[in-house]
Amino acid sequence: MVESRLARVLLRIASGGVLAFLYLPLVVVVIYAFNTSRIQAWPPAGFTLHWFGEAANNPQVIGALVNSLLAASLATVLALVLGTLAAMAVHRYSFFGRQTISFLLVLPIALPGVVTGVALQTTFITFGIDFGLMTIVVGHATFCVVIIYNNVIARLRRLPSSPEEASADLGGDMWTTFRRVTGPRLGTALMSGALLSFALSFDEIIVTLFTAGPGTQTIPLFIFASLQQPRELPVVNVVAFVLILASIVPVWLATRLSGAETAGARL
Amino acid sequence: MFQRRLGGALTVAALVAAACGPGASQAPTGGPATGAPATGGPASAAPTTATIGEGEGELNLVIWAGYAERGATFPSFDWVTPFETETGCMVNTTNMTDSNNGVSLMQSGQYDGISASGDATTRLIQGGIVAPIDTSIFEHYGNVFPGLKDLPHNTVDGVNYGVPHGRGANLLMYNTNEVTPAPTSWDGVWEGGSAYAGNISIYDSSIYIADAAVHLMATQPALGITDPYQLNDAQFAAAIALLEAQAANGALYWSVYTDQMASYTAGDVVIGTTWPLQVALLKAEGVPVEGILPDEGSTGWSDTWMMHADADNPNCMLMWMDHMMSPEGNGQATVYFGEAATSPQACAYAETIAAGHCEVTHATDEAYYDKVWYWSTPQADCADEDAATTCKTQDDWVAAWTNIRGS
Amino acid sequence: MTTATTPPDPPRRPSFVRRLSIWLFPRRRLQVGLLLSTPLGWLTIVYLGSLFILLLNAFWEKDTFTGNVEPFNWTLRAFELLINGEAYRTVALRTIAMAALVTVTCAVLAFPIAYYMARIASPRVRNAMVVAVLMPLWAAYLVKVYAWRTIIQGNGLLEWVLNPFGIDGPSLRAISNSWLVLSYLWLPYMILPLYAGLERIPKSLLEASADLGGKARTTFRRVILPLSFPSLVAGSIFTFSLTLGDYITPDLVSDAKFIGNVIYDNSSLGNLPLAAAYSLLPITIMIVYLAVARRLGAFDSL
């Protein structure tokens, strides 16, 4: 034990404080999801389950949920393909411009979303492309690529290349090697990357505001529109609450799968 | 106020509406003339068709918040669902925060129509973004008050570019408990603003500069302002000075009306400028507010439904325009928003939902609207016949507003 | 005794994939090219292409009345407006300062919990804490910001807590609200890389430092901080860039305008050249930031 007793106690308190800070607004949202009044004053006026029924019967909520799931899935699949290809290229071969590739891949997520959004919107309008689900997917896939890329390349760096070489020695062609050796070894990295990318796309609002058409609404867009209506606030709280609950399992899963990455060397 | 009008009155009205039958004819041929491409210059005239064609199944609108309700706020205020059922056109809406936003949304080409105020209409027409309309194809256009037809902000050289929706004034809204005695002028948000420092609610748009000009017309007549939207350098500078003082007094700016409502409810603001919609909604929530038209007058709007020159769903848009001139459509919409209806029939219908609505909103009282300056676009030539005068342009207004808001 | 010998199978033509693999094997350059073509093509065409088109708009004229952009009508008007307008400078400085402040705040808040997770907590607690830190990222961004607004506004939770002490809550105009909410939003983005980085520090180094007589503060300053610095920088990429471009949070919880607001307002209010010209600012800042970050080794800690 390197840290002193006092340090450990202080750190524990500090961690608890930060966690409390992280969860304060979420707790407030959950409390207001059961609030009888539409006005969000404190303390809440009363307890009711009424808004859950309203949210479940709201066709806009269902529609937005379907759109969000579709967009996130498509964007993730696209990101998986692009990210894996790029990671394999950068890891296996040394070539001119290798550093630039990782720089380029990070750009969509490092540059402010508002710039990406305005740029994509301008381009779509310039070429007369109709806004809809696909324009949303294009935007999301572009910055989800780097998440897959990071996960895959981190895994590739940890894995020895001998199994691939052995596979080639045993007569496997490139596709067989990938399918039966590399792929499975990347499996969990791909899964955790996919989960993170799905989450990012599901919650994305800044770029989506620019790339969605008038008829396509994702959950964040629904929330955005509802916040501009005078009486939709409770439904928004309910939707948020359900989303938080629904995300516990995927988050836990993603953590377990990427556990190999973060298990550090404790010498 | 609204919820108490539910039940009997509305059921009767709905039955009457249903009995009247569909508004647009369903001729399989024909469609509206679409105008010239959006590359500057108004779309060419000579629309030709006599009937509205088949609906395309979808309609994308840019609207002022509250202009297309489907019962989400109050179940009794729903003029979208009946339209969808009758025409099969599914309505998608996007709220614009101000006219600049509305013009920009229309420029994207993703929308079929817009409920444009006077400061957007001129730009949309000149930019070739909206199509000319043959008003003879509508069932309800004939009923519209003559005083609302062929107005300069939506009619160019005798060609109509839309149909009127409603008109109203921007009001002074104040918390009746905090602001006493009841104000009669805009002074509380301008020179008297220090009394309410930090609790003033102001519309976040460059067009608000005109409200400063309106106040100056009463307090500094020497400046010679005759049109609050066409200001020369000296007048403009005076208006900006007023606005900067207001910002220094800690004004809270709103562009989404629900933000303003939340601020009044929470007590963060006690006085400010608003639309009639917020006044009514806050009263319905039991918040102690009142909205008045101060003595100096105010800015206001006269809105027009306009169709995009390259609309994907032109027939649906035309059907919507007709629907919004119908007694049920216009009556509900204008009562909900708190603006004046566009026809005697709409007034009669509105009477059944909210007694005295047309008197309160001065639907037929032209003298009232002498004190209301509809939103218009600032133009370099001051929009007058005198070639010598030059005024600040739309760009100047936006740049000045950015300066006030940014610092 | 005769041994029956079956004639060997005639040699089959190898499959197409196999022949392709054999052909490609020595051509490493081509392999790279093929692998990279799709992702690179996508990024170049879709992303860089859109950025390019956006930036072209910065140099085009806009009709003052209708607001239509006139392509290929070259002008520097947008840049003139930006340079002459005092507000744009104020907004830029304000945003950069806020981004730096948020980054430092997140670093300060993240360090204790990341350290605890990385080095003190038992594996089970650690996993639970990782999940706990990740969960708020899944809650909708808008909902979190609006929840803070509800907490801060009049009659909200904050006022309810402060009023008994006679303290007034902050107004919804205060820029400190943005600081609070932005730090809150990006905190997990700082905690996670920092946690990963702290975990990688070999324990032997810390023990050696203690053996050599270093007190906790010295060990922290001379061993832990330098070794975890790349992870700090990696986390700061997110906190800095996300603050630089955010327009929703400043809009909802404060009245001050940030770079993101100016870009969003101008693009949605019909002045695309101005929005495009102003975008050059955050783009340049972030590219420089990324280059410096890469130098400091942050890319390996992302």
Side-chain angles (χ1 to χ4, degrees):
Chain A
M1 297 291 122
V2 177
E3 304 83 9
S4 73
R5 195 77 191 277
L6 177 64
R8 292 160 71 82
V9 166
L10 286 177
L11 284 174
R12 185 170 295 169
I13 296 177
S15 307
V18 171
L19 276 180
F21 179 59
L22 276 179
Y23 279 85
L24 175 62
L26 301 183
V27 168
V28 167
V29 165
V30 170
I31 291 179
Y32 280 133
F34 297 95
N35 191 8
T36 42
S37 162
R38 284 187 201 264
I39 300 173
Q40 298 196 285
W42 192 268
F47 183 92
T48 177
L49 290 173
H50 168 69
W51 309 120
F52 286 83
E54 239 190 66
N57 291 330
N58 190 328
Q60 267 192 306
V61 171
I62 312 294
L65 192 60
V66 168
N67 278 333
S68 274
L69 289 172
L70 267 177
S73 310
L74 289 171
T76 303
V77 164
L78 213 50
L80 277 172
V81 169
L82 297 173
T84 313
L85 287 175
M88 284 175 59
V90 170
H91 174 73
R92 285 257 185 79
Y93 313 90
S94 52
F95 52 88
F96 174 75
R98 196 177 176 192
Q99 294 275 43
T100 325
I101 303 292
S102 42
F103 195 87
L104 187 59
L105 285 169
V106 140
L107 267 187
I109 214 172
L111 290 189
V114 65
V115 173
T116 312
V118 177
L120 284 174
Q121 185 191 53
T122 313
T123 311
F124 293 148
I125 294 179
T126 310
F127 290 107
I129 301 176
D130 254 346
F131 287 68
L133 195 65
M134 289 322 290
T135 48
I136 299 179
V137 170
V138 163
H140 289 190
T142 310
F143 52 72
C144 284
V145 175
V146 73
I147 296 180
I148 308 288
Y149 171 82
N150 273 339
N151 270 288
V152 174
I153 215 171
R155 175 62 64 85
L156 284 174
R157 284 191 185 133
R158 266 174 228 283
L159 298 175
S161 59
S162 35
E164 267 96 13
E165 287 167 9
S167 164
D169 289 340
L170 288 169
D173 58 49
M174 291 188 161
W175 174 241
T176 311
T177 305
F178 179 78
R179 192 167 54 91
R180 302 185 69 173
V181 180
T182 322
R185 297 201 303 157
L186 285 179
T188 50
L190 289 176
M191 275 289 294
S192 81
L195 279 169
L196 280 175
S197 149
F198 193 91
L200 197 65
S201 159
F202 202 84
D203 187 36
E204 220 290 320
I205 178 69
I206 294 194
V207 174
T208 319
L209 266 175
F210 290 97
T211 54
T216 326
Q217 219 182 32
T218 59
I219 290 274
L221 288 175
F222 164 76
I223 296 177
F224 189 75
S226 300
L227 289 178
Q228 297 180 5
Q229 299 273 31
R231 310 178 110 235
E232 294 295 298
L233 220 44
V235 173
V236 170
N237 289 330
V238 166
V239 169
F241 175 50
V242 170
L243 283 180
I244 294 175
L245 281 184
S247 64
I248 293 182
V249 169
V251 169
W252 177 82
L253 204 59
T255 330
R256 288 291 298 256
L257 287 173
S258 63
E261 306 337 288
T262 53
R266 289 253 216 153
L267 300 168
Chain B
M1 168 169 131
F2 296 98
Q3 286 162 314
R4 289 186 229 127
R5 309 286 180 202
L6 283 193
L10 228 39
T11 329
V12 170
L15 286 173
V16 169
C20 282
S25 47
Q26 298 292 312
T29 58
T34 51
T39 49
S44 54
T48 52
T49 48
T51 54
I52 305 177
E54 279 287 328
E56 295 88 352
E58 192 181 311
L59 181 62
N60 298 311
L61 296 172
V62 179
I63 57 167
W64 289 109
Y67 270 37
E69 289 291 303
R70 46 169 80 243
T73 316
F74 297 109
S76 54
F77 282 96
D78 178 1
W79 55 93
V80 171
T81 320
F83 172 78
E84 288 179 330
T85 321
E86 194 181 294
T87 62
C89 302
M90 293 300 131
V91 178
N92 300 312
T93 60
T94 300
N95 292 353
M96 55 179 144
T97 51
D98 69 350
S99 290
N100 299 328
N101 184 216
V103 171
S104 170
L105 286 170
M106 284 297 277
Q107 281 173 336
S108 76
Q110 298 294 313
Y111 296 92
D112 302 304
I114 180 175
S115 59
S117 296
D119 57 334
T121 51
T122 336
R123 282 185 275 165
L124 290 170
I125 297 174
Q126 290 299 320
I129 301 177
V130 293
I133 304 292
D134 177 7
T135 53
S136 64
I137 59 176
F138 296 118
E139 181 185 331
H140 298 110
Y141 187 75
N143 299 332
V144 172
F145 290 125
L148 282 177
K149 291 186 183 172
D150 305 321
L151 290 176
H153 63 258
N154 57 25
T155 310
V156 175
D157 296 330
V159 178
N160 295 111
Y161 284 87
V163 298
H165 172 76
R167 55 181 170 169
N170 294 316
L171 303 176
L172 174 72
M173 179 160 70
Y174 61 95
N175 187 316
T176 48
N177 294 338
E178 303 289 330
V179 180
T180 52
T184 54
S185 89
W186 284 106
D187 186 63
V189 303
W190 299 114
E191 291 88 351
S194 45
Y196 310 107
N199 301 108
I200 307 174
S201 176
I202 299 297
Y203 186 45
D204 191 357
S205 169
S206 57
I207 203 70
Y208 187 73
I209 297 177
D211 290 67
V214 167
H215 189 65
L216 285 173
M217 283 164 87
T219 56
Q220 292 184 37
L223 281 171
I225 303 177
T226 51
D227 182 343
Y229 300 98
Q230 312 304 336
L231 304 172
N232 62 28
D233 289 349
Q235 298 162 343
F236 193 70
I240 298 300
L242 260 190
L243 288 161
E244 282 170 352
Q246 185 182 65
N249 265 331
L252 207 59
Y253 296 89
W254 64 275
S255 54
V256 175
Y257 77 104
T258 45
D259 280 352
Q260 185 189 43
M261 285 176 58
S263 301
Y264 270 92
T265 312
D268 284 323
V269 296
V270 297
I271 191 169
T273 172
T274 189
W275 303 330
L277 175 66
Q278 285 93 300
V279 180
L281 286 174
L282 282 173
K283 283 183 173 176
E285 294 281 345
V287 181
V289 295
E290 187 57 71
I292 59 158
L293 180 70
D295 297 331
E296 305 96 296
S298 179
T299 51
W301 67 90
S302 176
D303 290 341
T304 310
W305 285 105
M306 303 181 118
M307 181 170 74
H308 197 286
D310 296 315
D312 284 339
N313 308 296
N315 294 336
C316 277
M317 186 60 206
L318 289 172
M319 289 193 254
W320 175 262
M321 285 163 135
D322 211 0
H323 176 68
M324 293 315 292
M325 289 188 289
S326 68
E328 303 78 27
N330 197 256
Q332 277 194 47
T334 51
V335 167
Y336 181 75
F337 199 84
E339 55 186 343
T342 52
S343 66
Q345 290 78 0
C347 270
Y349 182 86
E351 195 69 26
T352 62
I353 318 175
H357 173 73
C358 276
E359 282 76 58
V360 165
T361 55
H362 304 268
T364 50
D365 182 1
E366 296 302 325
Y368 174 83
Y369 286 101
D370 282 341
K371 274 203 305 180
V372 176
W373 285 270
Y374 301 139
W375 282 340
S376 311
T377 316
Q379 292 173 238
D381 62 0
C382 301
D384 59 12
E385 293 78 38
D386 190 347
T389 53
T390 54
C391 292
K392 293 293 190 181
T393 64
Q394 165 71 13
D395 267 1
D396 293 328
W397 281 50
V398 174
W401 187 255
T402 310
N403 234 358
I404 296 171
R405 290 289 286 116
S407 33
Chain C
M1 227 162 5
T2 50
T3 22
T5 49
T6 51
D9 288 324
R12 271 195 315 212
R13 194 121 198 269
S15 71
F16 173 72
V17 179
R18 181 171 218 91
R19 276 183 289 135
L20 189 61
S21 302
I22 298 172
W23 183 77
L24 272 178
F25 189 76
R27 297 177 172 80
R28 306 232 347 138
R29 279 260 179 91
L30 194 53
Q31 288 178 37
V32 180
L34 284 176
L35 274 179
L36 274 183
S37 57
T38 323
L40 216 55
W42 174 281
L43 274 178
T44 315
I45 298 176
V46 172
Y47 188 68
L48 292 181
S50 329
L51 279 182
F52 180 67
I53 291 182
L54 176 69
L55 295 178
L56 274 183
N57 273 281
F59 296 93
W60 288 345
E61 185 71 70
K62 173 186 84 83
D63 185 297
T64 47
F65 185 61
T66 62
N68 286 334
V69 175
E70 292 158 17
F72 304 111
N73 193 342
W74 307 101
T75 173
L76 287 176
R77 233 170 80 83
F79 293 95
E80 274 171 32
L81 266 172
L82 287 181
I83 296 177
N84 292 333
E86 208 190 286
Y88 300 111
R89 225 168 318 162
T90 316
V91 166
L93 289 174
R94 175 190 298 148
T95 314
I96 295 174
M98 177 61 77
L101 184 60
V102 166
T103 302
V104 168
T105 312
C106 282
V108 166
L109 285 177
F111 222 98
I113 190 173
Y115 191 89
Y116 184 82
M117 282 161 65
R119 311 209 67 92
I120 301 179
S122 68
R124 218 172 28 176
V125 173
R126 190 176 345 128
N127 280 337
M129 284 181 83
V130 170
V131 173
V133 167
L134 270 178
M135 283 291 304
L137 283 182
W138 280 69
Y141 164 91
L142 277 175
V143 174
K144 288 185 283 193
V145 179
Y146 208 80
W148 272 113
R149 188 199 156 102
T150 320
I151 295 174
I152 297 175
Q153 77 186 9
N155 294 332
L157 179 57
L158 194 59
E159 238 186 50
W160 183 77
V161 166
L162 292 178
N163 272 345
F165 301 100
I167 312 175
D168 264 335
S171 105
L172 267 185
R173 259 190 352 273
I175 198 175
S176 53
N177 299 336
S178 287
W179 171 57
L180 171 69
V181 179
L182 288 169
S183 303
Y184 167 85
L185 285 169
W186 317 138
L187 192 52
Y189 290 108
M190 182 66 94
I191 295 179
L192 291 171
L194 199 53
Y195 155 71
L198 283 172
E199 221 192 0
R200 281 197 284 266
I201 300 179
K203 197 162 162 198
S204 49
L205 286 181
L206 299 179
E207 285 171 355
S209 167
D211 287 342
L212 287 168
K215 294 214 257 287
R217 207 173 4 187
T218 321
T219 308
F220 176 79
R221 197 164 49 89
R222 303 186 69 174
V223 180
I224 299 180
L225 207 50
L227 284 178
S228 58
F229 192 67
S231 330
L232 264 177
V233 178
S236 77
I237 294 179
F238 290 109
T239 58
F240 199 86
S241 104
L242 289 168
T243 307
L244 209 61
D246 202 305
Y247 58 91
I248 295 186
T249 303
D251 204 33
L252 274 180
V253 301
S254 81
D255 231 21
K257 295 269 186 186
F258 285 24
I259 290 181
N261 292 109
V262 174
I263 298 178
Y264 179 77
D265 287 346
N266 277 297
S267 77
S268 69
L269 299 182
N271 199 344
L272 190 57
L274 198 61
Y278 208 57
S279 305
L280 272 175
L281 183 61
I283 291 178
T284 319
I285 295 178
M286 279 320 295
I287 290 187
V288 168
Y289 199 99
L290 282 175
V292 170
R294 188 172 63 177
R295 244 337 124 73
L296 294 172
F299 277 34
D300 300 317
S301 320
L302 261 178

